Amino acid sequence: MLKLLSTISLLFIISFAIAQETVDMQMMQKIKDEEKNNSQIVMIAHNITDVCGPRLTNSPGYNCALDWVTEICTKWGLQNAGREAWGEFGKGWKNEQGTLSLKLPYYENIIAYPVPWCKSTKKAVKCELIMLDQLDSASIDKAGASLKGKIVMIKPGGTTIPDAFKAYAKRFGDSSLDNLPEEYMVTRKQMEGFLPFIKRDYYTRLYMEKKGAVGLVLSSRNSIDGTVFVDGGEGYMKGYEASLPTMKISREDYLKLMRLIQDNKKVELEMNVQNNFYDKDLTGYNVVAEIPGTDPALKSQVVMLGGHLDSWAGGTGATDNGAGCIATLEAIRILKALGIQPRRTIRIALWGGEEQGLYGSFGYVKKHFGDPENMNLKPEAANISAYYNLDNGSGKIRGIHTQGNEAVREIFRAWLEPFKDMGAAGGVTLSNTGSTDHISFDAVGIPGFQFIQDPLEYETRTHHSNMDTYDHLSIDDLKQAAVVIAAFVYNTAQRNDMLPRKPLPKAEKFVFDFDFPI
Ligand SMILES: [Zn+2]
């Protein structure tokens, strides 16, 4: 009897829990059908990557993407589409010419990409290559006058390329999804620890130029098969000097140059780097668009979705983070195409300056919701239910990180259930994930979430590399992601209550908020 009673009460609890989080299964099917029959993923992806090109913040490619997103959102019938300033970013930069070749001991082309915001060379410069032990002022002083008129490389940490037997791409196994470890979280303390190294590198490069070096070549340990990882550069900020012409080159080329120098062969390179800086408008912009809410009592409340529109410059930012923009744009298009009349307002925001420190989303949060440094929240902060972000490449959605918000766990489980057949059910982890734009919202206590995505070849091949191009997008995965995001946004917009929140965080300066590099 007791046992039966407890079974009955358990059944009651389960049905109550499910009944509490009702999912409109008919609408979930309509979302799936709209994507299956009328997907615009390919068109969006092509325009954001192939047509606009690299989207370094405040570069012509970034502005192209801002304009295109505004235009397409307006065409789809979204409201209030357009740029929104978030504060001062700094200079734009665009590479116009970037070639490097070996001249001695024989001619060969080198796979090389200029580091953003570096200076141009004076036409093509042909000069000897020398190798320093470290990128520090002691090594520069040791080289003394021999640095003058030379291109410099730094002795690599290792002397091999990555193991070719290791697969590049992977998907998560189902069983790992509920217990993913914390990922990409950076604390302010860790950032304070990194800062001296970043500053040291910046000032060392300025010092190197002062001592007469005409160029610098570098390479990454994880680069293979012509993949070049190229990011960094601080010359975008007003008042900060650009570094000397700097190129990242393929690992295979770099190790060859090292061996030739170690064998006392004379190595000569020809470097031609020509860049344009854009300093007329230093303002940073995001782009936003909305489907206005229709419920008189709830339309002032908002659910947001997005990703960062800016990229690095070695590729066309297809997976970082064209993918997040493509999937969230498609998600809002689906909802608009279905003619839904959301109770709450649905707003997409695609951010700028993410790669330099989540500037666009943080600036937006500060302007609309409040500053984590003092936790003086603005009235709008009480009216935003959630922000959903996508920024881990083009892999399909396998679940979601709740950022430690226990109260949303069962809600999200119910919302993922209809997408079990598409690989999305199950993965609801309490663990945190960081280093992208939902962190700006989380910092002021607004529910901000990042989906769990299959890693594919994001970390190994495309992230910040010259291979971050359209052909490395998985179109089918993006279609799935757009469907799941559309469902989450729809459910958040229609729910009777806003999503439950964690307790407000303590006032603390934002993790990436530094007066860099001084
Ligand atoms: Zn990113």
Side-chain angles (χ1 to χ4, degrees), residues 182-412:
E182 196 161 80
E183 287 180 304
Y184 309 116
M185 285 304 287
V186 189
T187 64
R188 187 156 178 95
K189 217 174 154 161
Q190 282 169 325
M191 275 307 294
E192 280 165 4
F194 296 147
L195 215 59
F197 295 101
I198 302 172
K199 283 183 183 179
R200 191 195 66 186
D201 274 14
Y202 174 67
Y203 288 111
T204 305
R205 277 179 275 137
L206 296 185
Y207 187 54
M208 185 180 277
E209 190 184 8
K210 226 171 104 190
K211 291 290 175 182
V214 297
L216 173 66
V217 291
L218 300 165
S219 188
S220 312
R221 194 185 275 255
N222 54 345
S223 125
I224 188 174
D225 296 344
T227 299
V228 177
F229 296 92
V230 50
D231 57 18
E234 298 79 25
Y236 60 91
M237 277 178 278
K238 192 170 139 191
Y240 287 91
E241 201 183 325
S243 299
L244 78 169
T246 306
M247 299 187 96
K248 290 290 284 290
I249 75 172
S250 84
R251 185 74 171 169
E252 293 90 337
D253 286 322
Y254 204 71
L255 295 176
K256 178 171 72 185
L257 296 176
M258 172 200 75
R259 288 189 296 271
L260 287 168
I261 286 180
Q262 284 175 337
D263 192 22
N264 293 315
K265 302 288 189 239
K266 187 173 178 185
V267 179
E268 216 172 73
L269 299 178
E270 186 176 85
M271 185 187 269
N272 188 1
V273 174
Q274 303 304 323
N275 307 312
N276 276 335
F277 284 84
Y278 301 85
D279 56 6
K280 281 214 175 72
D281 184 4
L282 302 178
T283 311
Y285 297 95
N286 302 313
V287 57
V288 298
E290 292 180 338
I291 305 176
T294 54
D295 183 322
L298 300 180
K299 65 184 182 186
S300 62
Q301 296 178 359
V302 180
V303 46
M304 290 186 69
L305 68 160
H308 68 90
L309 188 60
D310 67 307
S311 75
W312 289 107
T316 51
T319 67
D320 189 17
N321 184 24
C325 301
I326 296 159
T328 49
L329 280 168
E330 178 69 349
I332 202 166
R333 184 201 68 79
I334 292 172
L335 296 175
K336 183 67 193 165
L338 291 175
I340 65 153
Q341 301 291 315
R343 299 178 72 192
R344 294 184 177 82
T345 295
I346 296 171
R347 183 184 302 151
I348 187 169
L350 304 180
W351 315 110
E354 191 270 355
E355 297 291 3
Q356 288 71 41
L358 319 190
Y359 292 149
S361 58
F362 180 55
Y364 184 91
V365 165
K366 245 165 94 167
K367 185 173 145 189
H368 288 270
F369 308 124
D371 188 343
E373 192 176 351
N374 54 33
M375 285 304 289
N376 292 333
L377 299 184
K378 303 189 175 195
E380 269 187 83
N383 275 341
I384 169 162
S385 182
Y387 168 66
Y388 298 104
N389 194 68
L390 195 78
D391 183 22
N392 276 337
S394 86
K396 68 178 163 192
I397 289 177
R398 304 299 306 279
I400 190 162
H401 292 269
T402 69
Q403 274 336 98
N405 187 346
E406 179 76 57
V408 297
R409 181 143 55 170
E410 292 313 313
I411 299 170
F412 286 171

Side-chain angles (χ1 to χ4, degrees), residues 43-56 59-69 71 94 309 311-312 315-317:
M43 182 279 289
I44 301 169
H46 168 65
N47 278 284
I48 285 185
T49 63
D50 299 337
V51 176
C52 285
R55 300 179 308 279
L56 199 69
S59 70
Y62 184 70
N63 287 326
C64 163
L66 288 176
D67 291 344
W68 185 80
V69 170
E71 201 180 297
K94 183 166 173 267
L309 188 60
S311 75
W312 289 107
T316 51

